[in-house]
Amino acid sequence: MSKTILITGSTDGIGKLAALKLAEAGHQVYLHGRDADKLATVIAQVKAVATGALLDNLDNIGGFVADFSDLNEVRKMAAEVTQKLAKIDVLINNAGIYTTASASTKQGLDVRFVVNYLAPYELTNALLPLLKKSGQARIVNLSSAAQVSVSYPAFTGQVSLSDKEAYAQSKLALTMWSMALAEAVAADNINVIAVNPGSLLNTKMVNEAYGEHWSSADKGANILTELAISDEFVTDTGKYFDNDIKDGVQGEAQGEFGQPHADALNKQAIAELEKQTQSLLQSLC
């Protein structure tokens, strides 16, 4: 059965590859990017590989423009999605940033915390009514093997961090929230999984940050596709999927569920993150 799937950060990297794979499998795919021209180009590429009933209505492949470093644009996008779509079966929060020429937003926050955590937090909460209409929805949050305890002075923009620290802290924040969200929406038949899609995949973001890669981008795109539509994961929620390791071995093989950073399993730490998040968001209003 065709699913309605929204993928953020899908004009490049594993988000784009996943969009292509899902459209090729006959699913209705909606993309997101911050550049309208680039988004239009990728939408055309996704339409070109569509199969099945999609071919009768290629308008079921579309997209939304928003700069996730600006939470006002995130909220505007959420309103546009709500107006356009009747439901969402799968939301893949893939958009992310590591290195950047400008590490601070206009509000003085580290852009990694905003794009990697606060933007998906705001978008997902705004789209929960559409996810509830699915009857059996999935949320896939892009975590990382890099996870470091959150410094709240850094989170609120009082302290600067290196690219590596900011990225790792933002990804742990996303993972911690994923665990809390899974519990909060369980009664609505919405499953939530945080996933490390694989370390040092061959993507633009990784190559800009490290100048090298360990695994193909397809490895990450394949696990996003599986987590989105495979019956194998239909009952899995509140879990962390580690796509680096399978039976203790790192390689190209699909990984398995594993243990995230300890803070992601610590209810007190998660409650503090939620408190700090709400306080920060209120201060930005």
Side-chain angles (χ1 to χ4, degrees), residues 178-187 192 237-238 267:
S178 298
M179 301 306 155
L181 180 63
E183 186 173 335
V185 299
V192 185
T237 190
K267 291 187 179 297

Side-chain angles (χ1 to χ4, degrees), residues 1 13 17 19 22 32 49 65 74 83-84 92 112 115 118 122 150 166 189 194 219 224 242 250 252 272:
M1 182 178 295
L17 290 175
L22 290 163
H32 153 262
V49 302
V65 177
V74 175
Q83 185 175 23
K84 184 177 180 64
I92 302 177
R112 275 63 62 103
V115 174
L118 291 174
E122 287 279 83
V150 178
N189 292 320
K219 178 181 179 180
L224 293 192
D242 185 354
Q250 183 167 341
E252 284 292 326
E272 180 62 22

Side-chain angles (χ1 to χ4, degrees), residues 5 12 26 30 42 51 57 59 85 102 126 147 153 164 172 190-191 193 205 228 232 241 259 270 277 283:
I5 302 170
D12 211 332
Y30 293 87
V42 177
T51 62
N57 189 358
D59 287 340
L85 303 184
S102 180
Q147 298 178 33
K164 183 178 181 180
L172 177 56
I190 301 174
N191 291 354
I193 289 177
M205 185 178 78
E232 177 184 353
F241 194 95
Q259 292 295 309
I270 293 171
T277 300
S283 73

Side-chain angles (χ1 to χ4, degrees), residues 17 19 24 30 54 61 77 108 111 118 129 181 218-219 243 259:
L17 290 175
E24 193 170 11
Y30 293 87
L54 273 178
I61 298 174
M77 174 179 155
V111 70
L118 291 174
L181 180 63
D218 273 322
K219 178 181 179 180
N243 205 35
Q259 292 295 309

Side-chain angles (χ1 to χ4, degrees), residues 68 93 114-125 174 177:
F68 273 21
N93 285 310
V114 178
V115 174
N116 299 346
Y117 168 56
L118 291 174
Y121 180 98
E122 287 279 83
L123 180 68
T124 302
N125 281 305
L174 183 73
W177 166 61

Side-chain angles (χ1 to χ4, degrees), residues 147-170:
Q147 298 178 33
V148 175
S149 292
V150 178
S151 161
Y152 291 109
F155 179 61
T156 54
Q158 301 171 57
V159 174
S160 297
L161 297 173
S162 68
D163 292 341
K164 183 178 181 180
E165 281 283 324
Y167 181 81
Q169 290 190 29
S170 68

Side-chain angles (χ1 to χ4, degrees), residues 48-72:
V49 302
T51 62
L54 273 178
L55 294 174
D56 297 327
N57 189 358
L58 287 177
D59 287 340
N60 286 328
I61 298 174
F64 304 91
V65 177
D67 181 348
F68 273 21
S69 69
D70 185 337
L71 295 180
N72 287 326

Side-chain angles (χ1 to χ4, degrees), residues 1-283:
M1 182 178 295
S2 176
K3 294 181 181 294
T4 301
I5 302 170
L6 173 61
I7 310 173
T8 68
S10 42
T11 57
D12 211 332
I14 65 175
K16 175 182 175 179
L17 290 175
L20 290 164
K21 291 174 185 292
L22 290 163
E24 193 170 11
H27 297 284
Q28 300 176 30
V29 181
Y30 293 87
L31 299 91
H32 153 262
R34 58 180 177 173
D35 182 281
D37 291 338
K38 187 173 183 179
L39 178 63
T41 297
V42 177
I43 289 172
Q45 293 171 353
V46 173
K47 286 182 175 181
V49 302
T51 62
L54 273 178
L55 294 174
D56 297 327
N57 189 358
L58 287 177
D59 287 340
N60 286 328
I61 298 174
F64 304 91
V65 177
D67 181 348
F68 273 21
S69 69
D70 185 337
L71 295 180
N72 287 326
E73 289 200 25
V74 175
R75 297 180 188 112
K76 181 181 177 182
M77 174 179 155
E80 292 171 352
V81 173
T82 299
Q83 185 175 23
K84 184 177 180 64
L85 303 184
K87 66 168 183 171
I88 296 174
D89 297 303
V90 182
L91 171 60
I92 302 177
N93 285 310
N94 170 72
I97 188 170
Y98 188 109
T99 57
T100 175
S102 180
S104 296
T105 68
K106 57 187 177 182
Q107 289 85 15
L109 302 176
D110 189 294
V111 70
R112 275 63 62 103
F113 278 117
V114 178
V115 174
N116 299 346
Y117 168 56
L118 291 174
Y121 180 98
E122 287 279 83
L123 180 68
T124 302
N125 281 305
L127 296 181
L128 283 179
L130 291 184
L131 288 156
K132 291 176 182 179
K133 291 180 180 179
S134 167
Q136 187 59 65
R138 302 184 191 185
I139 298 170
V140 181
N141 288 334
L142 269 288
S143 183
S144 170
Q147 298 178 33
V148 175
S149 292
V150 178
S151 161
Y152 291 109
F155 179 61
T156 54
Q158 301 171 57
V159 174
S160 297
L161 297 173
S162 68
D163 292 341
K164 183 178 181 180
E165 281 283 324
Y167 181 81
Q169 290 190 29
S170 68
K171 287 300 184 179
L172 177 56
L174 183 73
T175 307
M176 293 167 70
W177 166 61
S178 298
M179 301 306 155
L181 180 63
E183 186 173 335
V185 299
D188 298 307
N189 292 320
I190 301 174
N191 291 354
V192 185
I193 289 177
V195 55
N196 162 30
S199 294
L200 294 183
L201 302 177
N202 188 14
T203 64
K204 179 181 177 181
M205 185 178 78
V206 167
N207 287 321
E208 286 179 347
Y210 295 101
E212 62 177 344
H213 63 271
W214 289 347
S215 301
S216 68
D218 273 322
K219 178 181 179 180
N222 288 340
I223 190 56
L224 293 192
T225 302
E226 290 297 303
L227 290 174
I229 62 174
S230 174
D231 289 341
E232 177 184 353
F233 302 105
V234 71
T235 62
D236 292 308
T237 190
K239 297 180 179 181
Y240 169 74
F241 194 95
D242 185 354
N243 205 35
D244 277 334
I245 304 297
K246 177 66 174 179
D247 297 328
V249 178
Q250 183 167 341
E252 284 292 326
Q254 179 176 299
E256 59 194 9
F257 286 108
Q259 292 295 309
H261 188 285
D263 287 357
L265 305 175
N266 184 321
K267 291 187 179 297
Q268 184 175 352
I270 293 171
E272 180 62 22
L273 174 65
E274 179 68 18
K275 175 183 174 183
Q276 294 281 345
T277 300
Q278 289 299 313
S279 177
L280 178 60
L281 292 174
Q282 289 172 9
S283 73

